[in-house]
Amino acid sequence: MKEKLELILNNASDEINKASSVQDLENVKLKYLSRKGELNSIKKNLKDLSDEDKRIVGAFANEVSNKLEAMITSKGDDLYGHELDEKLKKETIDITLPSDFRPQGKVHPLTQTVNEIVEIFQGLGFSVMPSEYSPEVETEYINFDMLNFPPNHPAKDMQDTFYTKVAPNVILRSQTSGAQIRQMINQKPPVRVISPGRVYRCESVSARKNNLFHQIEGLLVDKDITFADLKGILNEFVRIYFGSSRPTRFRASYFPFTEPSAEVDVQCIMCGGKGCRTCSGTGWLEVLGAGMVHANVLKNVGIDPEIYSGFAFGMGVERLTMLKYAINDIRLFFNNDTRFLKQF
Ligand code: PHE
């Protein structure tokens, strides 16, 4: 039995030395030292020996077992260290290599303007209208009739409208003013809201006009609201948005849904008021339409014009952005050329 143990010790030592991976070593350990391993099968036979031999052989078996354990542990440390080194070498990353170029996304200039204007009006006590009051696919009824455009009146031609095939009288809205109607049907005064959104007009595209653009509608209805309130709010808006040094003017105008009506012009940024192609030689550029909500509009939504009055305004987002940053072609907003967009 002792010889057998010596043989095991020799063979096992050999195999341990030869093991070239952690897995090899694990197999050797299983073969000799596990419960079903060779050493254990000898220990099981000890019971057939005399007491004296049992003691001697048993002690020797333990010695062999301890030796092998120690060898395996030390070899294991070597192999593990070696394998780790290899792995680390393989997985090394050269952090000095240049990386792939990933351009950073930015908020679109029109969205920036909308956000900025919304913030200004929030500061003036307005809140943003729920978006369900301002659908882009709208009825002629809301977009025109409820806003006091007389049926078949040439005023409808002021805005060249896109008609759809969905149903007769279903259009792409030509202005955000329909949102006023939906707002006032759903909420009685006091009302103090703004509503940004897209509008569509069937126009030939040029540097000044696109057939999709953005407006921000504003509506304030309460008791004792006068034109002075309108002027105060819009002057304050222009002052915050452009800075106090930019000349502006109110000019009498006409919209079917406001009376009296006005347009606000800002001095042309391209020529500084001298007159150029951008401003058609006038030195001024129109940025918004406004006026006191027409009594007929209030009646249409069931608000008594004897008790309430209000004002509304609608501003062009593209125009306001172009004037602030001296952009001379509206199409730049829609081409998505990153050389343009990344400047904002
Ligand atoms: N909806 C008008 C337009 O698109 C602007 C406007 C809005 C005028 C509200 C008066 C009041 O031209």
Side-chain angles (χ1 to χ4, degrees), residues 158-159 174-177 180 201 213 215 217-218 255 257-258 261-263 286 288-291 312-315:
M158 279 167 68
Q159 300 167 1
S174 60
Q175 52 180 356
T176 45
S177 298
Q180 291 181 37
R201 289 188 198 175
F213 58 100
Q215 288 186 332
E217 193 77 12
F255 300 101
F257 39 94
T258 48
S261 304
E263 280 175 307
E286 177 220 323
L288 61 87
F313 55 86
M315 48 184 80

Side-chain angles (χ1 to χ4, degrees), residues 136-157:
E136 287 173 32
V137 180
E138 193 41 289
T139 58
E140 261 194 299
Y141 176 68
I142 298 275
N143 192 81
F144 292 125
D145 302 343
M146 287 291 273
L147 284 164
N148 198 40
F149 284 70
N152 304 319
H153 190 280
K156 277 191 184 177
D157 294 341

Side-chain angles (χ1 to χ4, degrees), residues 216-233:
I216 298 178
E217 193 77 12
L219 176 69
L220 188 152
V221 184
D222 206 341
K223 288 177 181 152
D224 303 321
I225 301 300
T226 69
F227 201 86
D229 297 306
L230 166 65
K231 258 192 117 168
I233 290 280

Side-chain angles (χ1 to χ4, degrees), residues 316-328:
V317 177
E318 282 76 3
R319 206 34 101 65
L320 286 165
T321 312
M322 291 167 82
L323 274 171
K324 187 151 177 173
Y325 300 107
I327 297 162
N328 58 10

Side-chain angles (χ1 to χ4, degrees), residues 22 25 70-83:
V22 173
L25 196 63
M71 286 173 78
I72 286 174
T73 308
S74 123
K75 177 78 177 185
D77 286 349
D78 287 355
L79 284 176
Y80 181 73
H82 182 67
E83 284 182 14

